[in-house]
Amino acid sequence: MKKILFIELLGGIGDLLIALPAIKALALSYPHSRITVLTFPPGGELLQNDSLIHQVTYARRGKTRQSIEEILAQRDFDLIISDTNYDGIDELILNSNAKCTVTNLWRNPPEERLVSDRFLQILLEEGLIAPNAISKGEPIVHLLEAEKAQAQQLFEAAYRPLVFLIPDSAMPIKRWSKENFVTVGKALQQQYNATIVVPVGDDEDFARQMAQAIGGAARLWRRGTLRELAAGLAHADLAIAVDTGPARIAAALNVPTITLFGPSWHGRYGQSAPNINLQGYPDCLERVISNFTEQRCWYSGVCPFNWNSCTEGISAEQVLEAAALSLCQEENNGLRQTWGIKDSPHLILGEKANEWQNARNILVIRLDNIGDVIMTSPALRAIKENFPETKLTLMASPAGALTKPLLPWVDEVLPWRVLWQDLGRLDFDPAREWELIETLNQRQFDAAIILTSFSQSPHPAALACYLAGIPLRLGESKESGFGILTHPIDPAPDEMHQVDRNLRLIEAVGFRVRDRRLCLQIPNSTLIQNPYILLNPWTTCQSRNYDDRRFAIAARQLSQMTGLPVAVTGTNKDRDRASPLLDILGECAIDLIGATSLAQFAALIANAQLVLTNNTSTIHIADTTNTPSIILFAGTELECQWRPRYAPVKLLRRPTVCSPCYAFTCPYELECLDIPFEEVVAAGLELIKAKGRWQRDENQ
């Protein structure tokens, strides 16, 4: 069989996905064949980029017979299979030049046998597919890594579990009430701290009203292409949907799915285990299991018993019980995953994780600055939650090692200045690198996780770990490692946020991530008793520093307008350049330059009414503490890689053709930060007012 045509013209997205296991089984049975699928838009989008399917051709609705005639006139096929025979489709197929034909896969499925399984059974019995070609457990919709990464960006720091509630159906007779969906959404938020996502369907107002009624962190998923929806669903921990195409997309991606059935029969059209199918009013006297289109409700859209839909027979409590089974009792390889229960371990699942399950002495390497280490906090927390008994060591630069008091999941910090990230300060001294290898060897680590930015290589660190005898070495690499990494992970898109880059790495070997937000242990420190604005005006990188004078004038005006003093922070190295700024601030300044530890500095940020700063570690601490921030964000980096994702912020910068430059010094007079102080003042007042409104709402 060199050329195979599969005709799927039943009409719905779900119908195509029901047929997809059969299509893939044919492709695997005839690996040298060319598979063409004739179907309706937009469902065919889901077959794009699938290496097993060579061409997708679209039929015109209302002209199915003509569409088939055209494709048969254009080319010959060795095998033609159709899952329907209306409009004389079977006659066209039988009269073609195909050597072998199957004119109706949709034939006499037993009441309690899934139609998708029936398709495979017929092809198997007729000798058209091999038994080992039937895929088990693999997602049947293929998505590109770039598509999944782009979707993940939209979830930002969303709490897990991530639950899609999908109420939309083109047929009202299939729908479940908005009130029930709202009840389920609120309960999942309260019980599991879930993030609820409501995709926009044909009725945007309905989806918006539903998300607003659920409240909390419920959010809309904007309407786009089917592939965009599939990429979003691929990140979900649970999908709850009526019997419609998106439910089948979720299940096809191996997302645990609860489907609510009304007129159609769950035993025939449901999702395979471990997905859960709930049937509304199963004993309906009008029900015709063998052909639901014969039911009076199907084409009329009206229930003869004055219900809106027999899905009304499914209670919110039943759905929540099913959700509990999916979220709290999902077992895989004898290990149990538990969502939403504080302090419970999230155990590693999947084949990739087998080698990691006995790792009880783990080294995490992140050798950059304080802010970079802070952005590892969700990954460090996830590792410790997966394996609470594991000793976790963080190898960091001397500056990054200062974060130790803020990271309760880290048992030990190993400060080290390494050659491959040196800026020309280290002398030629090979003995220093051998000392590093010996130090790592003495600690007898089971595994090393090497966290890097988009532009860094994990291989120098991995080689040191290899020479130190660390058996498991995980890293993301754009290069060929030739065995230096035992677990090399393909690179994510450069635009991915650094927090997600870190988490993606550990998720690749099975670590479960409960919470993607930054997290720090902030001390209860009150260096300043009354409310204040915090100004942290300097970074160690010249190309990121907003003009001192403008910063000072903006802070002084904000102080005068709000009555709030300005706490000025920095390191001892900043003292020499501080005098002009402090002179402008005058009596409104509280000089704390060089007077705080990193932990005390974090507490100052947490208690501030507003933070004024550049792109430096301050912004990540403020993101952790949800402190409103004005950030003068230079054009040195892409905002999408480093920006805060949770706290209320205003990022200020001017677009320039040289951005991102990744430079330490700027030859162009910092044009990207040529921002009038009045703009800083206006942005600061807006955030302070918004914070005041929020606080009043909380106190009401």
Side-chain angles (χ1 to χ4, degrees):
M1 301 290 184
K2 295 293 182 65
K3 292 178 286 186
I4 299 173
L5 173 64
F6 196 104
I7 300 173
E8 197 301 297
L9 294 175
L10 282 167
I13 296 167
D15 298 306
L16 177 60
L17 291 172
I18 286 174
L20 192 50
I23 296 171
K24 293 210 164 191
L26 286 164
L28 292 170
S29 297
Y30 306 99
H32 301 296
S33 66
R34 181 177 178 83
I35 304 288
T36 299
V37 177
L38 177 65
T39 189
F40 290 118
E45 287 179 28
L46 298 172
L47 309 187
Q48 294 171 5
N49 302 314
D50 193 319
S51 61
L52 296 178
I53 298 169
H54 300 86
Q55 184 176 4
V56 178
T57 301
Y58 290 117
R60 299 182 299 281
R61 293 191 183 273
K63 296 184 177 180
T64 53
R65 183 179 177 89
Q66 183 180 343
S67 299
I68 296 173
E69 288 174 339
E70 290 174 356
I71 195 171
L72 293 179
Q74 293 168 3
R75 67 193 91 162
D76 293 328
F77 295 94
D78 300 311
L79 171 62
I80 302 176
I81 297 172
S82 174
D83 61 1
T84 188
N85 60 3
Y86 69 87
D87 205 17
I89 291 175
D90 53 345
E91 178 186 351
L92 290 174
I93 294 172
L94 290 171
N95 291 333
S96 70
N97 294 323
K99 299 175 184 176
C100 183
T101 61
V102 178
T103 57
N104 185 12
L105 277 181
W106 198 276
R107 67 174 90 140
N108 304 320
E111 291 183 0
E112 300 300 334
R113 187 177 188 114
L114 297 179
V115 173
S116 56
D117 291 344
R118 175 66 173 162
F119 286 2
L120 292 168
Q121 179 190 23
I122 290 173
L123 294 176
L124 197 60
E125 289 175 351
E126 297 193 10
L128 293 174
I129 60 172
N132 60 2
I134 299 175
S135 299
K136 294 181 180 179
E138 293 295 324
I140 60 172
V141 171
H142 178 74
L143 294 170
L144 301 176
E145 285 298 319
E147 291 177 304
K148 291 187 283 187
Q150 185 175 4
Q152 188 178 51
Q153 294 272 353
L154 298 176
F155 294 123
E156 298 181 332
Y159 280 122
R160 286 191 177 274
L162 191 66
V163 181
F164 272 66
L165 299 184
I166 308 172
D168 193 59
S169 171
M171 299 180 67
I173 198 69
K174 287 186 173 186
R175 294 176 185 166
W176 202 43
S177 73
K178 179 173 68 177
E179 292 73 20
N180 278 334
F181 269 115
V182 170
T183 298
V184 168
K186 286 185 173 180
L188 291 173
Q189 284 181 333
Q190 293 169 2
Q191 188 171 356
Y192 301 101
N193 200 24
T195 297
I196 304 299
V197 182
V198 182
V200 173
D202 292 330
D203 190 341
E204 181 173 352
D205 288 340
F206 182 92
R208 191 174 302 280
Q209 291 167 10
M210 181 173 139
Q212 289 173 348
I214 293 171
R219 59 179 72 184
L220 290 177
W221 180 270
R222 65 173 178 80
R223 188 165 188 176
T225 67
L226 277 183
R227 292 193 68 83
E228 288 171 339
L229 174 60
L233 283 167
H235 295 287
D237 301 298
L238 176 65
I240 301 174
V242 294
D243 174 26
T244 188
R248 296 200 177 277
I249 294 174
L253 292 163
N254 281 359
V255 175
T257 304
I258 300 169
T259 310
L260 314 181
F261 285 87
S264 51
W265 184 245
H266 71 291
R268 276 192 170 196
Y269 307 105
Q271 322 284 5
S272 60
N275 300 298
I276 298 174
N277 307 305
L278 298 178
Q279 182 71 58
Y281 197 18
D283 299 324
C284 175
L285 298 177
E286 291 283 323
R287 190 176 301 284
V288 181
I289 294 176
S290 61
N291 187 356
F292 56 76
T293 64
E294 296 178 5
Q295 297 167 188
R296 282 190 290 169
C297 65
W298 187 255
Y299 289 114
S300 70
V302 178
C303 175
F305 301 108
N306 296 319
W307 288 16
N308 292 319
S309 166
C310 48
T311 57
E312 291 182 17
I314 303 171
S315 68
E317 289 73 20
Q318 285 177 280
V319 174
L320 287 169
E321 288 177 8
L325 287 173
S326 295
L327 292 174
C328 295
Q329 299 179 21
E330 181 186 0
E331 293 189 9
N332 190 325
N333 295 332
L335 298 176
R336 177 159 294 184
Q337 167 194 354
T338 307
W339 289 113
I341 302 175
K342 292 183 178 179
D343 301 324
S344 63
H346 297 260
L347 298 177
I348 292 177
L349 307 177
E351 293 181 5
K352 287 184 178 180
N354 290 341
E355 296 176 286
W356 290 78
Q357 300 217 17
N358 295 320
R360 290 297 179 267
N361 187 12
I362 296 178
L363 173 68
V364 174
I365 299 176
R366 188 67 169 113
L367 293 162
D368 289 278
N369 292 319
I370 291 172
D372 302 294
V373 175
I374 288 172
M375 284 192 284
T376 70
S377 58
L380 296 170
R381 176 179 57 194
I383 294 168
K384 202 69 169 181
E385 286 182 341
N386 277 260
F387 291 141
E389 303 304 319
T390 293
K391 180 180 180 182
L392 191 58
T393 300
L394 173 66
M395 181 178 167
S397 68
L402 298 175
T403 59
K404 173 62 171 69
L406 303 176
L407 302 171
W409 315 278
V410 174
D411 299 296
E412 181 184 4
V413 170
L414 179 60
W416 210 277
R417 195 181 302 280
V418 296
L419 178 65
W420 57 89
Q421 288 188 224
D422 178 43
L423 298 177
R425 300 170 186 166
L426 293 178
D427 297 329
F428 177 74
D429 184 10
R432 179 183 53 245
E433 272 54 65
W434 286 115
E435 181 186 358
L436 169 61
I437 293 168
E438 180 60 27
T439 299
L440 296 179
N441 176 263
Q442 290 174 356
R443 282 169 166 76
Q444 295 293 296
F445 292 112
D446 301 318
I449 298 172
I450 303 162
L451 302 176
T452 52
S453 73
F454 76 99
S455 62
Q456 294 172 332
S457 170
H459 293 298
L463 179 59
C465 293
Y466 171 86
L467 295 173
I470 301 176
L472 300 178
R473 301 173 299 280
L474 170 66
E476 176 189 300
S477 178
K478 295 180 179 180
E479 314 128 313
S480 296
F482 303 111
I484 297 176
L485 291 169
T486 59
H487 293 72
I489 306 304
D490 290 339
D494 286 356
E495 296 78 14
M496 179 175 282
H497 196 279
Q498 184 61 40
V499 171
D500 288 328
R501 187 178 300 277
N502 296 337
L503 292 174
R504 175 181 179 268
L505 186 68
I506 65 170
E507 286 176 320
V509 291
F511 284 94
R512 295 287 186 177
V513 178
R514 173 180 59 84
D515 189 349
R516 308 184 84 83
R517 300 188 189 192
L518 296 179
C519 44
L520 298 173
Q521 181 174 271
I522 308 295
N524 294 320
S525 175
T526 53
L527 292 176
I528 305 174
Q529 298 299 323
N530 297 318
Y532 55 90
I533 296 169
L534 187 142
L535 172 60
N536 188 76
W538 301 293
T539 78
T540 57
C541 182
Q542 177 269 340
S543 57
R544 295 187 193 174
N545 285 330
Y546 182 56
D547 181 72
D548 286 5
R549 182 175 178 276
R550 287 181 174 180
F551 244 152
I553 294 173
R556 185 184 66 192
Q557 289 198 6
L558 283 169
S559 177
Q560 291 169 347
M561 292 175 177
T562 63
L564 298 172
V566 178
V568 184
T569 56
T571 68
N572 286 321
K573 294 180 181 179
D574 299 318
R575 175 58 64 186
D576 291 341
R577 54 180 168 176
S579 294
L581 180 142
L582 293 173
D583 288 343
I584 294 172
L585 285 170
E587 293 182 356
C588 70
I590 302 174
D591 183 358
L592 294 175
I593 300 169
T596 63
S597 66
L598 181 59
Q600 290 172 322
F601 178 55
L604 279 171
I605 293 171
N607 295 320
Q609 299 298 300
L610 177 71
V611 168
L612 305 176
T613 190
N614 298 295
N615 176 19
T616 185
S617 60
T618 308
I619 71 174
H620 306 302
I621 299 173
D623 196 26
T624 304
T625 60
N626 201 32
T627 305
S629 302
I630 304 298
I631 302 169
L632 282 297
F633 201 102
T636 51
E637 278 83 28
L638 293 175
E639 294 175 5
C640 61
Q641 295 172 325
W642 311 100
R643 65 169 296 155
R645 302 188 300 170
Y646 181 69
V649 300
K650 294 283 186 180
L651 267 62
L652 304 179
R653 85 164 171 198
R654 293 283 179 264
T656 55
V657 295
C658 54
S659 176
C661 65
Y662 306 111
F664 291 100
T665 58
C666 176
Y668 303 117
E669 299 182 355
L670 291 173
E671 292 178 3
C672 59
L673 290 179
D674 185 17
I675 297 166
F677 68 83
E678 294 90 347
E679 194 171 332
V680 179
V681 172
L685 286 175
E686 183 180 343
L687 285 184
I688 288 176
K689 289 177 181 178
K691 180 179 176 68
R693 286 196 299 271
W694 177 81
Q695 286 178 330
R696 286 195 295 274
D697 291 342
E698 287 290 298
N699 293 329
Q700 287 176 356

